[in-house]
Amino acid sequence: MDLQLSGRVAVVTGASKGIGLAVATTLAEEGAHVVAASRTRTDALPDKVVHVAADLMDPEAPARVVARAVEEFGGVDILVNNAGGPPPGVTLPRAGFLTPSDEDWAAMFEFNLFSVVRMIRSVLPVMLERGGGSIVNVSSTMSRQAGPVNVDYGAAKAAVNQLTKALSEEYGPQGVRVNTVMPGAVLTDWWTKEGGAAEVFAGMAGSDKESVIAEVAPAMMKLVTGRLIHPQEIADAVALLASPRSGSTTGAEFVIDGGQLKEI
């Protein structure tokens, strides 16, 4: 299926690894001009992708990223707000409501909500000038699956969901579609890195890292598929939502979670 992305200009945040890397690569393969924002560039990015070094904890960074896209390609048609998760220097999971301090809450919202707000604020005038565009916000099943782990992260992502709905209502009539992709547990370095989630859960469960990834985590989250999600599976959904082929899809939440969420 031709996604009609050839020649369109896409900005992808958090594009150096995991979901963001898969999204940037997929959009580039579909013919889009891609501007990838992350603190550092990875050699895994296709050569034709333009990288912008940006720390989205810096309030001025989003405007610089959008300005670079306009400078290189004349505008922006697609924004993928993928950057998120643990703020720099933070390891998740983090158990218990009383565990995170005010500073922890502030950093979590700065990285997972306010960076999204600022990216959208920076890109909207450019999109509107071109007659519309597509914004895809990457949220999380933790925004809907409340529990005593990563409370601050789940709250920040729930705010992203609400923001998506509000923006869709306001800017849909002007040609800007805004949707959310809601991944479950994705096999990224959040899980696999040294000291990452798999090792933290292994310590809690008296297990080992490999067993957590292959068995313990899928069982704990009651994943119907019995495995964690591949980043490419998220990237494929993002590409479809970015495409004009999804022209009547806006304000939607696409859950890709291996069957984790059970409610109707």
Side-chain angles (χ1 to χ4, degrees), residues 67-144:
R68 180 67 182 280
V70 173
E71 176 187 345
E72 292 282 345
F73 302 114
V76 179
D77 304 297
I78 300 160
L79 169 63
V80 182
N81 281 308
N82 167 73
V90 174
T91 296
L92 297 181
R94 186 160 53 193
F97 168 71
L98 294 177
T99 301
S101 64
D102 281 1
E103 291 75 16
D104 293 327
W105 276 88
M108 190 65 72
F109 270 69
E110 187 71 36
F111 193 42
N112 287 278
L113 176 62
F114 297 138
S115 69
V116 173
V117 169
R118 292 177 185 124
M119 283 299 310
I120 295 172
R121 186 186 290 145
S122 297
V123 85
L124 267 175
V126 178
M127 282 188 174
L128 292 172
E129 188 176 324
R130 287 164 76 89
S134 174
I135 299 172
V136 182
N137 297 323
V138 178
S139 181
S140 167
T141 53
M142 296 197 74
S143 67
R144 284 171 50 184

Side-chain angles (χ1 to χ4, degrees), residues 21 27 60 63 92 114 123 132 141 204 245:
L21 174 59
L27 294 178
E60 305 301 322
L92 297 181
F114 297 138
V123 85
T141 53
M204 293 177 179
R245 303 294 290 264

